[in-house]
Amino acid sequence: MNSIYKPLLFFQKHGYYVCQRIAERLGIRAKVVRTTFMYLTFVTLGFGFALYLFLAFWMRIKDLVYTKRSSVFDL
């Protein structure tokens, strides 16, 4: 039973971060974004999940490219 809950807890901890960042950006609750992705996935047979993965990848790349520098000498 523990082997079932370990991956579930991992995805809840790391996977919902994308929804949280989208919600913060739009100024809405993260719960609304999560349920929207779930309904979109069920209705479109996986397109919502593909969109979710694309957004997660895009945010990761954006974080790597746009880093805040504290001074001019950090270049």
Side-chain angles (χ1 to χ4, degrees):
M1 200 64 152
N2 191 16
S3 63
I4 294 172
Y5 288 113
K6 252 186 163 174
L8 181 64
L9 291 175
F10 175 79
F11 285 120
Q12 284 179 352
K13 185 177 179 183
H14 297 290
Y16 287 151
Y17 184 66
V18 175
C19 292
Q20 180 183 349
R21 286 191 55 186
I22 292 171
E24 287 175 2
R25 181 87 169 173
L26 297 176
I28 58 176
R29 292 184 190 176
K31 183 180 178 180
V32 173
V33 177
R34 288 183 197 127
T35 54
T36 303
F37 274 116
M38 284 190 287
Y39 289 141
L40 185 65
T41 300
F42 288 128
V43 170
T44 60
L45 301 174
F47 178 73
F49 185 67
L51 179 65
Y52 182 85
L53 289 178
F54 174 75
L55 289 173
F57 175 73
W58 185 259
M59 282 190 228
R60 178 72 176 147
I61 295 298
K62 188 184 85 152
D63 288 343
L64 291 174
V65 172
Y66 296 115
T67 56
K68 292 184 181 180
R69 294 185 177 99
S70 59
S71 71
V72 180
F73 301 109
D74 288 343
L75 296 174

